[in-house]
């Protein structure tokens, strides 16, 4: 299992959260209509990226924490279970 930081920014004009994952700066950009939906969308996007990298033999990046201090930003950490994690039973 891997942990990744999600950064959620509320957009009042569009009335949704923009979501990005600093570990995948140009690859993981999505949105959600509320906080729970945004987190779910971000987690799903990371899942696809991690599974794709795993299947191609590419490394999975380390998490990158968010160091900003913007008052309109929510920072959440999510767990992502990879196909490799599912295929290998825990001891």
């Amino acid at each position: 299992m891997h942990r990744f930081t999600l950064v959620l920014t509320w957009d009042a004009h569009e009335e949704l959260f923009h979501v990005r994952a600093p570990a995948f700066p140009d690859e993981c950009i999505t949105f959600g209509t509320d906080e729970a939906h945004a987190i779910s969308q971000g987690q799903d996007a990371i899942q696809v990226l991690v599974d794709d990298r795993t299947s191609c033999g590419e490394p999975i990046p380390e998490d990158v924490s968010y160091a900003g201090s913007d008052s309109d930003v929510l920072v959440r950490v999510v767990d992502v279970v990879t196909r490799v994690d599912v295929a290998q039973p825990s001891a």
Side-chain angles (χ1 to χ4, degrees):
M1 181 167 22
H2 300 275
R3 288 205 139 155
F4 292 100
T5 299
L6 292 176
V7 179
L8 288 65
T9 307
W10 177 249
D11 184 324
H13 178 71
E14 294 183 15
E15 296 186 357
L16 53 78
F17 283 97
H18 292 271
V19 184
R20 60 188 176 84
F24 300 91
D26 297 323
E27 299 172 275
C28 184
I29 302 168
T30 189
F31 65 91
T33 53
D34 58 34
E35 183 179 346
H37 183 234
I39 291 169
S40 176
Q41 292 290 92
Q43 196 167 20
D44 289 349
I46 291 172
Q47 182 74 61
V48 169
L49 290 166
V50 168
D51 286 345
D52 185 55
R53 286 179 182 223
T54 300
S55 67
C56 292
E58 296 177 13
I60 298 169
E62 295 293 321
D63 187 30
V64 177
S65 60
Y66 178 74
S69 60
D70 303 326
S71 62
D72 62 339
V73 171
L74 299 175
V75 178
R76 302 293 183 258
V77 177
V78 297
D79 293 323
V80 174
V81 177
T82 66
R83 292 180 193 166
V84 174
D85 296 327
V86 172
Q88 298 175 350
S90 58

